[in-house]
Amino acid sequence: MSAALALGDDALVLSHRLGEWAGHAPVLEEEVALANIALDLLGQARVLLSLVGDEDELAYLREERAFRNLQLVEQPNGDFAHTIARQLYFSVYQHLLYERLAAGGGEFADLAAKAVKEVAYHRDHAEQWTLRLGDGTAESHERMQAGLEALWRFTGEMFQPVEGLDATVSGADPEELESAWLSAVTSTVERATLTLPTGPRTGAWAAGAGRQGLHTEPFGRMLAEMQHLHRSHPGASW
Amino acid sequence: MAAVTADQKTQSTSGTAKAAGQAAGTAAGTAPDAADAARLAVFDAAVAADDRIEPRDWMPEAYRATLVRQMAQHAHSEIIGMQPEANWITRAPSLRRKAILMAKVQDEAGHGLYLYSAAETLGTSREELLDKLHAGRQRYSSIFNYPTLTWADVGAIGWLVDGAAITNQVPLCRCSYGPYARAMVRICKEESFHQRQGYELLLALSRGTEAQHAMAQDAVDRWWWPSLMMFGPPDDASSHSEQSMAWKIKRHSNDELRQRFVDICVPQAQALGLTLPDPDIRWNEERGQHDFGAIDWTEFHEVLKGNGPCNEQRITQRRRAHEEGAWVRDAAAAYAAKHTTPSTRTGQPAQHVEETA
């Protein structure tokens, strides 16, 4: 499995989910912010997928079982707190990973050096909202806690080894990454007066199954929407 | 852009008006009518001299009300206008097109923010304006009550709807109210970029497969007349036009701008390899302009009354986003109240309410 495909699919799928927020955000500033993050991720996805092949063929003509993204990023948006919990878990992971890839000097170093600036902003956005929702009103606290709980089970898969992303080649050691992630997320969650969930972190199937093309049910529906027009006009250019 | 206030400028061009204004001002307690007349003279002189009116300048209440109405409607149009295009973000047929569309919808939210800020300089608030939009007491452009049924509609909106908007808005860059004019300078730059992208999208479809070409033609057929309606009612039926032109809020009449738009679009349609759905369009040598067919004003008025294809859907989605987001805004306000130090809180109480409410 290509690491570029795994990272590219993460960015592509999460970008798509964030794009679903357009026109539905709780405040205009968040219309701008969520679209901005979606756009950054789409830009990253395009670069990563292009390392593997044709970006549109890869995005629009693969079926569900051929996608290598984390199950976390394919989860439906839910309410704003659910979206923010997903952003928190993923953007902290992506930030820590890209920092290491940028410093590691491997094949992703240049790409990660550019993307890490964007991802630092995504992480800040997610952390700031986690604080506001966690330490806001009783309702927002409850919703934020529910978001963290619901997505917690999908967090283990981020730290399964990915071929081409091991410590020797890229500087990304999954165990070290996981402890850095746990410590960062714990700190934000506690500052937000929330509680770190305690349940299993195996995802659906087993931890890391998304990287093997084993996904959750909502993902197929998401792809159907994303791909239908492209597939309806085989060979057309847009 | 240096703001020349009505007062400063009047000093150099019309010392009499300035002096009269001051004299009347000192006697304002006893002779309010005279004071107002003097202030009005200062205002009129500034407008006549093509100066910018700035937020702290005196202005007639009707001028203020007209601007609030127009700028609010403009801001609401940006916000509601996100919906028909966002409808296609998740189905965009290539990653490049998807990125362009996301960036465009993001820009529209940004334009809405500029325009609400500009409107706030007139003493209203974004909250208040959004409440009026949600209550149906302020309008947005009728064009956004049409549905985006195919991908080509995204291109037709870029080319025709943004094209019409630009034709309308470029003269607003010289509008007499400074904050509005400056917002329009920034907005028009981004809009013309979107318009070119829409045109380029249609060109790709027009030169693509037969099915793509047909999709593009169908979209242009559906969006052409609604785009012409964006310029508003004909001059003889436009209630606000005359006063807005006298105040230099508007610089050209509805029909003038509509004609300009038709003249721009005809050669562009030819270059696209698409036709416009109006058999009466032809070059008029005598006028040096295109003649074109009659607009169905009945449809226009139905859409304005709320009976267009998507009026209900658009406003319902907007209200729902706002209502469902209330707990998020409340959370941000509660957090700000807990985490703002007392000194800053007393320093900027209003701002915190504005930002988070």
Side-chain angles (χ1 to χ4, degrees):
Chain A
M1 178 191 43
S2 149
L5 199 58
L7 300 183
D9 283 351
D10 285 349
L12 177 71
V13 170
L14 185 56
S15 166
H16 186 94
R17 285 297 189 204
L18 292 173
E20 293 173 353
W21 269 104
H24 299 273
V27 61
L28 288 178
E29 283 81 353
E30 284 306 301
E31 293 284 2
V32 177
L34 295 173
N36 200 319
I37 296 169
L39 203 48
D40 286 345
L41 289 166
L42 185 54
Q44 294 164 16
R46 295 180 66 191
V47 174
L48 285 158
L49 293 180
S50 297
L51 294 175
V52 182
D54 178 87
E55 60 177 34
D56 286 337
E57 254 179 65
L58 287 165
Y60 292 101
L61 298 176
R62 271 183 302 158
E63 293 189 1
E64 190 181 338
R65 293 279 283 108
F67 273 81
R68 296 292 178 245
N69 56 284
L70 299 165
Q71 292 172 353
L72 175 66
V73 296
E74 75 201 29
Q75 297 310 305
N77 288 333
D79 68 5
F80 188 70
H82 198 266
T83 288
I84 291 299
R86 195 183 57 200
Q87 286 302 110
L88 178 73
Y89 289 156
F90 183 76
S91 65
V92 172
Y93 155 77
Q94 204 192 12
H95 187 237
L96 295 170
L97 174 65
Y98 280 23
E99 271 181 343
R100 283 157 180 72
L101 293 179
E107 101 177 273
F108 300 115
D110 289 348
L111 170 132
K114 275 186 206 159
V116 77
K117 295 173 201 151
E118 297 169 348
V119 177
Y121 160 76
H122 306 170
R123 176 180 172 172
D124 185 46
H125 176 263
E127 289 178 343
Q128 292 298 324
W129 270 117
T130 302
L131 294 176
R132 275 157 185 73
L133 299 181
D135 195 13
T137 64
E139 181 183 5
S140 70
H141 179 92
E142 195 180 314
R143 284 176 183 258
M144 190 64 219
Q145 187 66 47
L148 292 174
E149 300 285 350
L151 294 166
W152 180 249
R153 61 184 292 220
F154 298 106
T155 58
E157 61 182 349
M158 297 186 283
F159 310 105
Q160 297 298 309
V162 175
E163 197 185 310
L165 278 187
D166 60 48
T168 47
V169 182
S170 59
D173 170 17
E175 280 179 36
E176 185 272 333
L177 198 60
E178 181 164 22
S179 72
W181 181 88
L182 264 177
S183 129
V185 167
T186 304
S187 147
T188 302
V189 164
E190 285 175 357
R191 275 178 66 208
T193 72
L194 296 159
T195 313
L196 198 72
T198 52
R201 298 169 59 211
T202 54
W205 309 89
R211 295 278 188 235
Q212 314 304 323
L214 289 166
H215 294 280
T216 56
E217 284 184 346
F219 183 54
R221 196 163 285 107
M222 190 205 101
L223 282 189
E225 181 173 347
M226 181 172 111
Q227 297 181 336
H228 102 273
L229 178 59
H230 186 96
R231 285 178 178 272
S232 301
H233 297 263
S237 18
W238 301 93
Chain B
M1 215 177 297
V4 181
T5 69
D7 273 2
Q8 285 166 339
K9 182 67 185 182
T10 312
Q11 208 154 22
S12 58
T13 57
S14 170
T16 325
K18 171 78 177 171
Q22 281 175 336
T26 53
T30 50
D33 291 348
D36 276 355
R39 291 193 197 99
L40 181 61
V42 172
F43 171 86
D44 286 342
V47 170
D50 271 336
D51 285 340
R52 291 280 164 80
I53 306 300
E54 295 298 336
R56 291 180 186 180
D57 293 337
W58 183 90
M59 62 189 84
E61 275 315 303
Y63 176 84
R64 188 184 297 273
T66 294
L67 277 169
V68 168
R69 180 181 53 78
Q70 183 174 336
M71 291 163 77
Q73 178 169 334
H74 197 158
H76 299 333
S77 300
E78 297 282 357
I79 301 312
I80 297 283
M82 295 168 70
Q83 292 184 29
E85 295 179 287
N87 184 36
W88 279 91
I89 285 179
T90 54
R91 293 176 290 168
S94 75
L95 297 186
R96 174 171 166 265
R97 294 292 177 194
K98 187 173 185 168
I100 290 172
L101 184 57
M102 273 184 182
K104 183 180 180 189
V105 173
Q106 184 191 5
D107 279 350
E108 282 158 4
H111 295 172
L113 285 169
Y114 294 163
L115 287 162
Y116 286 121
S117 299
E120 285 180 338
T121 65
L122 292 163
T124 181
S125 71
R126 194 208 301 184
E127 265 297 282
E128 193 180 341
L129 298 177
L130 281 174
D131 285 347
K132 284 181 181 160
L133 169 67
H134 299 152
R137 284 162 49 217
Q138 281 178 343
R139 284 176 173 162
Y140 55 88
S141 177
S142 61
I143 194 80
F144 301 119
N145 292 314
Y146 290 86
T148 46
L149 300 178
T150 74
W151 170 251
D153 290 27
V154 171
I157 288 181
W159 177 42
L160 295 174
V161 175
D162 292 348
I166 292 163
T167 309
N168 255 330
Q169 291 171 9
V170 164
L172 285 174
C173 298
R174 294 185 294 125
C175 155
S176 59
Y177 189 57
Y180 194 21
R182 290 189 287 276
M184 292 320 304
V185 170
R186 301 172 66 178
I187 289 172
C188 284
K189 279 182 195 162
E190 292 180 344
E191 291 288 5
S192 51
F193 189 58
H194 299 160
Q195 199 232 355
R196 280 194 301 248
Q197 288 173 326
Y199 182 88
E200 194 256 336
L201 190 165
L202 282 182
L203 191 63
L205 294 181
S206 177
R207 292 180 176 172
T209 65
E210 214 173 298
Q212 286 177 305
H213 182 93
M215 192 191 280
Q217 184 61 60
D218 168 63
V220 169
D221 290 348
R222 282 182 288 110
W223 288 91
W224 173 250
W225 292 108
S227 302
L228 290 191
M229 295 177 198
M230 286 175 69
F231 296 93
D235 292 349
D236 51 22
S238 176
S239 51
H240 302 294
S241 278
E242 204 176 321
Q243 181 60 72
S244 287
M245 286 179 73
W247 277 330
K248 293 187 182 171
I249 295 172
K250 276 180 86 145
R251 296 279 179 162
H252 310 280
S253 78
N254 295 352
D255 287 334
E256 264 173 67
L257 291 170
R258 189 167 11 245
Q259 178 70 53
R260 187 179 295 180
F261 179 67
V262 171
D263 290 334
I264 291 169
C265 286
V266 170
Q268 289 182 345
Q270 277 164 358
L272 278 172
L274 299 171
T275 58
L276 297 171
D278 179 358
D280 296 331
I281 290 189
R282 59 181 59 83
W283 179 251
N284 182 325
E285 194 65 52
E286 219 167 284
R287 293 199 299 129
Q289 291 172 323
H290 291 88
D291 291 335
F292 56 98
I295 290 172
D296 179 0
W297 293 112
T298 316
E299 174 179 322
F300 177 74
H301 289 296
E302 281 304 308
V303 176
L304 277 192
K305 272 193 288 182
N307 301 327
C310 298
N311 297 59
E312 188 58 39
Q313 176 190 332
R314 299 286 185 243
I315 202 69
T316 300
Q317 179 176 328
R318 178 89 268 292
R319 275 191 208 125
R320 187 177 297 150
H322 191 72
E323 282 161 17
E324 288 178 357
W327 69 271
V328 176
R329 298 189 298 275
D330 290 347
Y335 181 88
K338 284 183 212 177
H339 294 272
T340 308
T341 62
S343 59
T344 42
R345 200 180 299 166
T346 46
Q348 313 175 308
Q351 196 178 342
H352 284 292
V353 174
E354 295 287 320
E355 278 172 2
T356 53

